[in-house]
Amino acid sequence: GTKAVTFLGSMLFSRCVSGVRTIPRGASNTVAGIKFTGFGSSYDAYPVSYMTAAAAIGTTVEEVDTFCQRLDKALAEVHKKMSKR
């Protein structure tokens, strides 16, 4: 659900993983009185929540490996926490 997606984003941020965005399905936000449905995504009715990860030119294999390790740990922690509900 939405909480799991945003929790994953916070877990990655707390593990110093930059360049990641998590976009919960159906999220909305109001800016200057205008409501944006699907806020953060490129399509209002995107059917699933998703995550994007950016990498710069020159990123090393070791940096990608570190990202994958931190992502795996964060996903495991989110799964563990959400399973307790």
Side-chain angles (χ1 to χ4, degrees), residues 18-46:
S18 61
V20 173
R21 275 190 325 135
T22 56
I23 298 89
R25 183 177 77 85
S28 65
N29 200 357
T30 302
V31 178
I34 301 168
K35 183 177 180 180
F36 293 90
T37 303
F39 188 76
S41 66
S42 58
Y43 176 62
D44 290 351
Y46 200 78

Side-chain angles (χ1 to χ4, degrees), residues 2-3 7 12-13 15 22 26 32-33 39 47-48 50 57 61 64-66 75:
T2 299
K3 288 185 180 184
F7 183 60
L12 291 169
F13 180 79
R15 286 173 168 71
T22 56
F39 188 76
V48 295
Y50 64 96
I57 294 174
V61 171
V64 173
D65 288 343
T66 299
L75 286 169

